[in-house]
Every structure is written in C-alpha cells, then in structure tokens.
Amino acid sequence: MNLLTIENFSKAYTDKILFHEASFHIQEGEKIGVIGTNGMGKSTLLKIIAGIEETDSGTVVMGNHVRIGYLMQTPIFADGDTVLTAALAGVDMEDMVLVSQAKSMLNRLDLTDINQPISQLSGGQQKRVALVNVILQEVEILVLDEPTNHLDHEMARWLENYLISYRGAVVMVTHDRYFLDCVVKRIVEVDHGKIYSYPGDYSQYVEQKIQRQNMELATERKRKSILKKELAWLARGARARATKQKAHIQRIEDLLNQEGPLEEQKVELSSVASRMGKKTIELQSVSKSYGEKRLIGDFSYIFLRHDRIGIVGPNGSGKSTLLKMIIGEAQPDTGVVELGETIRIGYFAQDNVHMDPEMKAIEYVREVAEYIRTNDGKMTASALMERFLFDGTLQWSKIGKLSGGERRRLYLMRILMQAPNVLIFDEPTNDLDIQTLRILEDYLDAFDGIVITVSHDRYFLDRVVTRIFALEGEGHIQQYEGGYEDYLKARALRYPEESMAGGKEKLSSQTSKVVQNEKRVSAKPRKLKFSYKEQREYETIDEEIAKLEEKSRSLEQEIEANATNSMKLGELMKEQVELQQMMEEKMERWVYLNDLAEQIEAQN
C-alpha cells in the first residue's frame, strides 16, 4: 500500500534550487536510504516528508491515518525535561509497558541517569534521547536524519537489528555504508534537483549507479557522434535536395538543444604534507582519570611514520581524551607525551569549534593563507574552494547559512591546506556525505604521514586503519592488528563469552561486497591509444571520403544524362545506393576515429 506520494515537486531557497519537478513515494514497510552530496537537499526532503516544510510546487498525497515520527539532526526539547520525560514526550506516560521500554532503550544507549535534566547532556546524548522518543511512537513512517551519529559500535548494531525487524516504513539519511547495506531495501539519491531511485541495498546501488551513468554516457556519445556526422556532412558541401537540407538543419538543431547528462561533481583533495623527522609522537606511561573514573592507565606507544591507528570503545571510555592528550589540549595525570620538532598536527574535532557563523566561507579559508601549495603547484584559496565544491556564490555565503555537511567539508579543507604530517580525526564521518568520505579514504591511502582516528563508522575503519586501539575499561588499552573486521575476529577469540560472531559474519560479507563495488567507482580508466591499423586509417580516411564524394557527384551527373534510358538508369541507381551505403559506413568510421583522437589528446 502506498503511504505517501510527492509528485512533480520543486523547492528552492533564494537562488538555490534543491528540487525541480522531482517525485518521491513510500510504500508500506519500505526501508529507504537517502544519500547525496552535502547541500543537495537530503535533510530538506526529510522535512517535506515529515510535514515540517512545504514544497514550492507539486502535490503531496498521504494515506488516511498515516502517522510520521521524525528524528531531526539537532533535536529540540521542552524546558525542564529530564532524560525520561524527554524520551516519553508525546506518548502515553501512564503506559507502564512503554515506560519500561523507554528505560531499557535508554540503558542500551548508555543513558542510565533517567532523572538527569536534558539540558545537562551533550549534543550526542540528546540525539540518543530523541532517537528513543521517535522509536517509541506508534507511527507508520519513521523519518530519521543521521540516526547513527553519536552511536558507538554496539549501539549502532542494536539500532540496526531494531530497524530490520521494524514493521513500519523507514526513510533515513545516513553516511554509514554498513548500516545502509544491512537495513535498507531501496536507495534514493538526491542529485542536482532530481531524485534517482535504486532498488536494493547500498552495494547494489553502487553497481546500478555505474550502469546508469554508463548508459547516459553511451547515449550522449551517440548524440555527439550523430551531431558530428551531420555537421561534417554539411560542411563538406554534400549535395542534396532543399527539403533534405532543411531536414539536416532541423535534425542538427534538435540535437544541439538536447541536454547531456550532468557530470558528477567530485571533491578534489590535494595537499602537500610537511617533512617528518625521525622523532614522531611518543606516549610514555600516560594515564588519565576524571574523578574516580579511570579512562587511561599506564599506556605507552611510539607512533611509526606511516601508522594508521583506529581508536574504538564505548562512549565515555576516553577515546577523545586520548586524542586531546596527544595534541596538548589535555594533560596526563602521570606520564609524558613527547612530539618531535618536525611534527605538524592537523586536528579534525567532533565539532567545528573555530567557525564563526557570521564569517564568510572564503574569509575562513583565507585566515590560513591566500595562496596554498598543492601537488599541482601554487593555488589561490578561491580556486582550492572550487575543488571542494564551493562555487563562487557559496564561497561568499556566511558559514552560518551553510548546511552541516558543507561546514564539515569546509573545516576539513582548512585542516588539509595547512600541510600537516599527522592527521588526527575525532569522528570525521559525522555529517560528511558518502562521496566526500570515499575521496577522503583515497586521499589517506596516499597521505605521507601518520593517521590517528576515533570513529564509530565501521566501514571507514576497515578502509583506512591497520591497527586498532580498543579501550576495554578500567583504563586498559588493547592493541589489535588490522581493520575493524579483524578486530572483531580477534576480540571474539579473546572474549568468546561476548558472542560477537554474528556481527563478525555480517561485516565480513559486507566488507567484500561494499569495498569491491566502491573500488569499481574509483578505479582509474584504461589509457586510450590508437592501434597501428587505426592510426593508418585515421591518417587516410579524409582522402578516402573525398574520393567517394567526388565519385558520387560524377554518378549524379551520369544519372541526369541518362534520365530517358531506363535500363542504364536502373544500373546507375543501383550503383548510387551501394555508394551511399559505403559513404555512410565511412562517415560512421570517421566519427569514431575523430572521437577517439580527441579522447587521446585530452588524456595527454
């Protein structure tokens, strides 16, 4: 049964068009993942579905008695709410079963003090309370904006399993590719005002998108080839009746008026890391406690030049504290943190802590430098912003008017342009779109320095890191070799009573499927070149076509001269048909060879 349909709708903010005559629908029980580049309108689409915002045009039709629960990116609570009352807002607080469920879910999400004022919680904790609230509501459609942000790995798996078994429909925006692969059955991509729908999970989406783009490119190549052929034919002065010439001209105009597929914009990360000396970062017997809670106890480690370290553990276990001790924002209770003289740290914090909402985006970048050194040479701040998908209009926008994802991308750009040789990330995947994450992952592959990251994104850890530091309680940090999947396997052997095999097997299949498909997206194209035969043909084909055209003109003169000789005329007309076919084949070949020559020249 169809629960919601939005037909031919448009939506714009001032001069920015987010949707133009797009359509969207939700069927009963569907699990839909919404993805797209930051700023394209993902959150706006969710707000339209939830009835928070209206479309500029188009129709919205909702089934009778359909109720919607909406988890916004930044929840809003009533004054005086506690954790429990906020979780139960809008539901029957006299229903003891619901109250019991709320307490159980809050406990699952590490919110144990149910009487604590909501105003005392961090932003991540408040988001988890709001998640419990929306799940408790009896609705037909759950609309979730970044539900996995601020969830640790165990919490994410719990939510994963809950949504898989949930009977209602789910529409969500999330960057977590493993989560998408486990939960959703349809991917909706928001791209340049349009909505593309792909049946299946995230892995199937990656494959189907490649097929769609290839079909669009093939259609566009065919259009250009026909256009070249028509233009070349007329440019050569091919003789024809006036009506045929008019048909040619009309055909050319029609082809010229057709719009080709929009080329997908991609963030381009290019930076030069500073030279690193022999001494890197050394932790010597460091420990840290807050009150009676011991987070890190007597931990030592010397970072190697190309270390890729992932730090995992439950929320509040001390992951961010460890990062802050490395960068000097927090001091260890005991022990020493030593940095080599050449170490330059780029620190990507959970929040964009240094961003003034009234400052223009380009001014924020120019605080670092007007000119930036990259692998391609010297570049202006404005040109670098173009590479990060900040066009001229966006560059002069105030930071406060950018989307959350655009602000994160701007923040990332500012860090990378400082040419650090150590990159430290605290939850880098929050609010970054999947496309930017893929490119960041490729960038880190080639980064000539140390990478240290705290992340709840299982795919990101599997893709980037080669060693895991797991904070396992009571200040103990256990090292595991490999990525997140390797960590799960090793931990299952170390602590068999935790029964982590199910998660391990699920991730194992996901890793091979998702990684393999995404590698197809970023694979470098094969270098084009002429074969020996094609090169010879390319050099002589113009002369061959000219000879055929000359023969065609002579044949037309013969036909005119033998107009009254029916027998001779029949032979000449048959010859003309065969010659016309030869010319058509030669022109097709001419278009192909010239198109190939242009591509070879472009890649060189």
Side-chain angles (χ1 to χ4, degrees), residues 301-359:
Y301 187 78
I302 298 174
F303 287 88
L304 304 177
R305 286 178 59 89
H306 294 96
D307 258 347
R308 300 290 190 269
I309 306 295
I311 303 174
V312 303
N315 286 333
S317 60
K319 303 185 297 296
S320 295
T321 300
L322 179 58
L323 297 188
K324 288 177 180 178
M325 285 197 296
I326 294 172
I327 66 174
E329 280 192 11
Q331 297 301 316
D333 297 337
T334 62
V336 178
V337 177
E338 292 185 355
L339 273 60
E341 291 183 1
T342 60
I343 292 299
R344 291 186 62 177
I345 293 177
Y347 176 52
F348 190 77
Q350 281 199 48
D351 301 311
N352 308 326
V353 290
H354 303 299
M355 303 186 84
D356 179 357
E358 293 301 312
M359 180 180 284

Side-chain angles (χ1 to χ4, degrees), residues 354-361 397-402 407:
H354 303 299
M355 303 186 84
D356 179 357
E358 293 301 312
M359 180 180 284
K360 291 181 173 63
S397 297
K398 289 183 178 181
I399 289 173
K401 291 188 176 181
L402 302 179
R407 287 195 294 270

Side-chain angles (χ1 to χ4, degrees), residues 174-300:
T174 180
H175 61 265
D176 190 325
R177 287 156 283 184
Y178 280 160
F179 198 86
L180 285 170
D181 226 36
C182 280
V183 176
V184 308
K185 299 302 179 186
R186 178 158 68 100
I187 294 289
V188 167
E189 184 178 22
V190 177
D191 186 26
H192 293 93
K194 296 181 180 180
I195 292 177
Y196 298 95
S197 184
Y198 302 86
D201 57 25
Y202 178 75
S203 298
Q204 292 167 317
Y205 149 75
V206 174
E207 192 165 343
Q208 290 176 74
K209 182 173 181 179
I210 295 170
Q211 294 172 356
R212 176 178 71 81
Q213 289 177 328
N214 287 342
M215 287 176 64
E216 287 179 348
L217 290 173
T219 302
E220 179 64 4
R221 281 197 300 269
K222 184 176 180 181
R223 181 182 75 89
K224 287 182 176 178
S225 293
I226 294 171
L227 186 57
K228 275 185 180 180
K229 179 180 174 182
E230 294 287 359
L231 290 170
W233 193 270
L234 292 176
R236 289 178 178 279
R239 297 179 65 188
R241 293 187 301 274
T243 53
K244 191 172 183 181
Q245 289 284 22
K246 287 178 182 177
H248 273 169
I249 293 169
Q250 185 59 51
R251 187 179 185 188
I252 290 168
E253 288 179 352
D254 292 341
L255 289 168
L256 285 169
N257 290 332
Q258 287 181 22
E259 290 186 5
L262 277 173
E263 187 176 346
E264 186 175 33
Q265 289 182 295
K266 291 185 179 179
V267 178
E268 295 181 49
L269 301 185
S270 178
S271 181
V272 178
S274 302
R275 185 188 66 83
M276 185 185 297
K278 289 185 178 179
K279 186 171 183 178
T280 57
I281 302 172
E282 298 182 9
L283 307 182
Q284 300 174 13
S285 300
V286 297
S287 63
K288 186 70 176 178
S289 300
Y290 285 104
E292 296 181 358
K293 186 172 184 180
R294 193 180 196 193
L295 298 178
I296 297 162
D298 195 25
F299 179 64
S300 298

Side-chain angles (χ1 to χ4, degrees), residues 76-89 93 114-121 129:
I76 300 171
F77 301 95
D79 292 338
D81 264 344
T82 65
V83 169
L84 184 61
T85 58
L88 292 169
M93 297 182 69
I114 60 174
N115 296 314
Q116 184 179 6
I118 196 79
S119 58
Q120 294 180 4
L121 302 185
V129 174

Side-chain angles (χ1 to χ4, degrees), residues 334-533:
T334 62
V336 178
V337 177
E338 292 185 355
L339 273 60
E341 291 183 1
T342 60
I343 292 299
R344 291 186 62 177
I345 293 177
Y347 176 52
F348 190 77
Q350 281 199 48
D351 301 311
N352 308 326
V353 290
H354 303 299
M355 303 186 84
D356 179 357
E358 293 301 312
M359 180 180 284
K360 291 181 173 63
I362 195 164
E363 292 171 349
Y364 178 75
V365 172
R366 284 175 175 167
E367 278 191 335
V368 177
E370 177 63 43
Y371 293 92
I372 298 97
R373 188 168 57 92
T374 72
N375 289 326
D376 303 322
K378 207 173 183 182
M379 182 176 292
T380 66
S382 178
L384 188 66
M385 290 186 77
E386 290 276 359
R387 285 191 170 195
F388 273 68
L389 305 188
F390 290 98
D391 60 24
T393 303
L394 213 52
Q395 289 180 21
W396 292 97
S397 297
K398 289 183 178 181
I399 289 173
K401 291 188 176 181
L402 302 179
S403 71
E406 287 168 334
R407 287 195 294 270
R408 292 290 278 176
R409 196 187 325 136
L410 185 67
Y411 180 41
L412 173 64
M413 172 187 167
R414 176 168 159 140
I415 289 166
L416 295 181
M417 65 190 282
Q418 297 173 33
N421 48 32
V422 177
L423 284 170
I424 298 181
F425 295 109
D426 195 353
E427 294 296 353
T429 62
N430 285 356
D431 294 320
L432 283 181
D433 60 73
I434 290 174
Q435 184 195 76
T436 303
L437 284 176
R438 284 207 305 255
I439 295 163
L440 175 60
E441 288 156 0
D442 290 340
Y443 173 86
L444 294 178
D445 284 343
F447 176 68
D448 189 20
I450 297 169
V451 177
I452 308 167
T453 181
V454 168
S455 179
H456 294 142
D457 188 318
R458 298 159 291 177
Y459 180 91
F460 185 78
L461 290 172
D462 263 336
R463 179 69 175 76
V464 171
V465 310
T466 56
R467 182 171 296 149
I468 295 285
F469 289 173
L471 281 71
E472 298 183 342
E474 301 299 323
H476 177 61
I477 298 178
Q478 180 66 42
Q479 295 183 39
Y480 296 88
E481 296 303 307
Y484 184 75
E485 184 185 356
D486 300 307
Y487 153 71
L488 282 184
K489 291 175 182 176
R491 185 175 170 85
L493 294 174
R494 189 180 182 87
Y495 304 104
E497 69 278 5
E498 293 184 359
S499 301
M500 298 178 70
K504 176 191 69 176
E505 291 169 3
K506 189 181 292 184
L507 276 179
S508 179
S509 64
Q510 289 168 334
T511 301
S512 58
K513 187 166 60 169
V514 180
V515 173
Q516 187 177 37
N517 277 338
E518 287 206 340
K519 281 183 176 178
R520 290 178 61 195
V521 175
S522 57
K524 291 183 178 178
R526 178 178 60 87
K527 190 166 184 178
L528 298 171
K529 63 178 182 178
F530 276 131
S531 67
Y532 175 78
K533 182 180 178 182

Side-chain angles (χ1 to χ4, degrees), residues 1 3 62-68 138-141:
M1 183 178 78
L3 300 179
M62 189 161 63
N64 292 330
H65 311 298
V66 171
R67 295 161 297 181
I68 297 175
E138 293 184 12
V139 297
E140 284 67 45
I141 304 174

